[in-house]
């Protein structure tokens, strides 16, 4: 029982792999945040900006010269 307590204390105070875990968490956070930003931009361009731009371009090239 005492040996298990000693091993547990040693495992808690062991800091050998701390840098690797921190780096992995930072990389994972960067990938997730980047994916969310790209998805947001894709939705914004797909639903808001591109249809408006497409309509303006069509209106510009379908100009008949009629004055109302």
């Amino acid at each position: 029982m005492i040996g298990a307590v000693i091993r547990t204390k040693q495992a808690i105070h062991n800091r050998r792999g701390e840098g690797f875990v921190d780096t992995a968490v930072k990389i994972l956070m960067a990938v997730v945040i980047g994916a969310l930003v790209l998805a947001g931009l894709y939705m914004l361009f797909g639903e808001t900006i591109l249809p408006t731009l497409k309509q303006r371009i069509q209106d510009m090239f379908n100009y008949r010269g009629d004055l109302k």
Side-chain angles (χ1 to χ4, degrees):
M1 185 72 167
I2 295 173
V5 171
I6 292 173
R7 284 193 303 270
T8 304
K9 283 185 178 182
Q10 288 175 346
I12 290 173
H13 294 294
N14 185 2
R15 297 184 182 264
R16 285 190 302 171
E18 188 173 340
F20 295 111
V21 174
D22 291 346
T23 303
V25 169
K26 289 176 188 176
I27 290 171
L28 184 61
M29 286 174 48
V31 168
V32 169
I33 291 171
L36 289 173
V37 169
L38 285 176
L41 286 173
Y42 180 77
M43 289 178 58
L44 179 69
F45 273 89
E47 296 176 4
T48 305
I49 296 173
L50 289 180
T52 306
L53 183 63
K54 181 180 176 183
Q55 184 62 40
R56 287 184 181 181
I57 291 172
Q58 286 177 347
D59 291 344
M60 188 170 42
F61 283 105
N62 289 334
Y63 182 71
R64 290 182 270 175
D66 297 336
L67 295 175
K68 295 182 180 179

